[in-house]
Amino acid sequence: MDFYKGKTVSWRSYQTLNNLSFTCGYCSDKVASDRGYKLGVHGDGSGQQVGGLYICPNCHGPNFTTQDNIWIPGQPFGRSVKNVPVSLNQVYEEARRCAKENCFTATVLLCRKMLMNIAVAQGAAENLKFIEYVNFLANNGYVPPNGRHWVDHIRKKGNEATHEIQDMSRDDAKDLLFFTEMLLIFLYEFPSMIPSE
């Protein structure tokens, strides 16, 4: 038994729920489900539904939505990128896993780390100031046209996550992950699609 806005809430048996569309945290498919376990107001789980455990109709994975509409496991952002060097890919996939688990500050910090690692992988010296890595990427053509403001955005959000008390939001994490994905596609996936002569 738990409390939500001063009311007692608890689980109720497997049943038909309010139909919801969501991206499954297990198979990543966009699905809709009305089957699972209701988290309802009242001691026996009846009454207004304030959350629930939805069963994915594709993979049968349990996707829990809280009273505050937070999904566990979270919904993944972005996609895997082909031909990324192993060490870079490990950091990128770790950032995606953090976002999926609603660890948004960690996601932002890892995206910031990605910029430094990408710069070093492209030939920048190690142990530079972070702004020097940003400038290296922008000045050497590793950032798409009009992409400098995105690199600066990652730098600023990374600095906020590092030096300020406030946590990063879901939107912050989503924005930075999508830009990082685009940068990896630009640098590694697209060039690998051109047939070698």
Side-chain angles (χ1 to χ4, degrees):
M1 216 176 292
D2 202 354
F3 294 95
Y4 175 66
K5 296 186 179 179
K7 298 179 181 176
T8 303
V9 295
S10 61
W11 294 101
R12 192 154 174 97
S13 62
Y14 184 78
Q15 61 185 288
T16 300
L17 305 174
N18 298 332
N19 191 38
L20 281 182
S21 294
F22 57 95
T23 301
C24 178
Y26 296 95
C27 68
S28 300
D29 277 358
K30 179 77 173 170
V31 297
S33 178
D34 66 354
R35 301 282 183 227
Y37 297 86
K38 174 181 171 180
L39 183 59
V41 176
H42 302 315
D44 63 356
S46 64
Q48 176 192 358
Q49 181 177 335
V50 293
L53 189 129
Y54 284 81
I55 306 301
C56 173
N58 182 51
C59 72
H60 307 291
N63 291 264
F64 172 61
T65 180
T66 69
Q67 301 98 318
D68 299 319
N69 200 31
I70 296 172
W71 287 89
I72 301 170
Q75 300 169 353
F77 298 141
R79 66 168 177 88
S80 295
V81 179
K82 296 176 183 174
N83 298 316
V84 177
V86 172
S87 60
L88 284 176
N89 195 55
Q90 287 173 340
V91 177
Y92 172 64
E93 291 297 338
E94 183 177 347
R96 292 184 70 221
R97 286 191 306 274
C98 285
K100 182 177 175 179
E101 298 303 326
N102 301 305
C103 300
F104 303 130
T105 300
T107 302
V108 169
L109 290 169
L110 285 166
C111 287
R112 182 182 190 274
K113 178 178 173 55
M114 283 294 297
L115 287 182
M116 180 181 66
N117 289 3
I118 289 168
V120 170
Q122 297 301 322
E126 293 185 26
N127 301 315
L128 298 178
K129 293 179 182 175
F130 190 75
I131 188 66
E132 294 175 295
Y133 290 120
V134 169
N135 291 336
F136 176 88
L137 291 170
N139 296 337
N140 290 287
Y142 296 113
V143 176
N146 300 320
R148 172 64 189 246
H149 70 282
W150 271 103
V151 176
D152 282 334
H153 183 63
I154 291 176
R155 178 182 61 82
K156 289 174 187 172
K157 283 295 177 184
N159 285 344
E160 287 176 29
T162 302
H163 302 293
E164 296 182 16
I165 301 296
Q166 183 177 351
D167 290 336
M168 296 290 103
S169 71
R170 180 182 192 277
D171 288 339
D172 293 330
K174 187 175 183 179
D175 288 349
L176 270 60
L177 259 177
F178 280 139
F179 177 77
T180 302
E181 174 189 335
M182 185 276 310
L183 190 58
L184 292 174
I185 291 169
F186 180 76
L187 292 174
Y188 298 105
E189 189 169 285
F190 282 167
S192 72
M193 294 169 69
I194 301 170
S196 56
E197 297 180 16

